[in-house]
């Protein structure tokens, strides 16, 4: 009887842990609009977003993420831009890692980037390192997103 009770308790704890993990992932899923971004390289901090005339979103489902950034003039004019990328991610607590499988900057493909995330009801704050030795990239980023829709 004691053994059965212990097994039942362990099963309940394991189930609760799984539910908590999936609830966190569920809160992450959705479409997010980038509000601000900072890039920190050494002692230099640059505000890299917002950029006048541009917008960016990130879409996250149960297993994949994607991002899209473009100018609001539909590619017309001197400020025309389109960037996109996506891949798989893992989430363990506040540790969020992206493996970039697709990207308009093709040299970035195949790299993993590790971040910390903080979620509130309608915002996502993502901080971490973008490092690609072959491109000489080693910088910290801080991105703030707002959830679109409900």
């Amino acid at each position: 009887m004691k053994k059965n009770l212990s097994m039942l308790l362990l099963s309940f704890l394991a189930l609760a842990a799984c539910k908590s993990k999936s609830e966190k992932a569920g809160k992450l899923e959705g479409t997010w609009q980038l509000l601000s971004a900072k890039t920190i390289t050494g002692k230099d901090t640059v505000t890299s977003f917002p950029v006048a005339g541009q917008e960016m979103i990130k879409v996250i489902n149960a297993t994949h993420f994607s991002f899209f950034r473009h100018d609001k003039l539909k590619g017309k004019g001197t400020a025309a831009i389109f960037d996109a990328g996506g891949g798989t991610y893992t989430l363990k607590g506040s540790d969020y890692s992206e493996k970039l499988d697709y990207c308009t900057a093709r040299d970035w493909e195949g790299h993993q980037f590790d971040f910390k995330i903080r979620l509130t009801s309608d915002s996502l704050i993502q901080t971490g390192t973008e490092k690609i030795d072959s491109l000489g990239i080693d910088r910290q980023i801080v991105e703030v997103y707002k959830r679109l829709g409900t």
Side-chain angles (χ1 to χ4, degrees), residues 75-132:
K76 309 274 190 274
T78 59
I81 185 173
F82 180 79
D83 290 321
T88 57
Y89 75 90
T90 58
L91 177 64
K92 293 180 183 158
S94 63
D95 295 328
Y96 172 76
S97 294
E98 294 178 343
K99 180 161 182 290
L100 192 57
D101 296 320
Y102 307 94
C103 190
T104 50
R106 302 299 296 269
D107 290 340
W108 286 61
E109 291 181 349
H111 293 277
Q112 179 173 312
F113 305 96
D114 299 318
F115 305 102
K116 293 284 187 187
I117 61 166
R118 191 172 69 217
L119 287 166
T120 64
S121 60
D122 68 344
S123 65
L124 163 65
I125 300 169
Q126 180 176 327
T127 60
T129 302
E130 292 179 333
K131 183 174 171 105
I132 304 175

Side-chain angles (χ1 to χ4, degrees), residues 47-48 59:
T47 299
S48 52
V59 180

Side-chain angles (χ1 to χ4, degrees), residues 34-86:
L34 183 64
L35 298 178
S36 68
K38 290 181 187 177
T39 303
I40 305 157
T41 306
K43 294 181 181 179
D44 296 325
T45 299
V46 174
T47 299
S48 52
F49 201 88
V51 175
Q54 293 183 15
E55 60 189 2
M56 179 174 162
I57 62 169
K58 178 176 253 187
V59 180
I60 302 172
N61 68 22
T63 58
H64 288 76
F65 74 96
S66 60
F67 62 87
F68 306 94
R69 181 176 183 164
H70 73 152
D71 63 272
K72 295 180 183 180
L73 296 176
K74 301 184 185 241
K76 309 274 190 274
T78 59
I81 185 173
F82 180 79
D83 290 321

Side-chain angles (χ1 to χ4, degrees), residues 18-38:
C18 290
K19 182 178 179 187
S20 174
K21 187 176 184 179
S22 68
E23 281 178 2
K24 179 110 177 182
K27 289 180 182 178
L28 182 61
E29 292 178 34
T31 302
W32 300 89
Q33 179 179 15
L34 183 64
L35 298 178
S36 68
K38 290 181 187 177

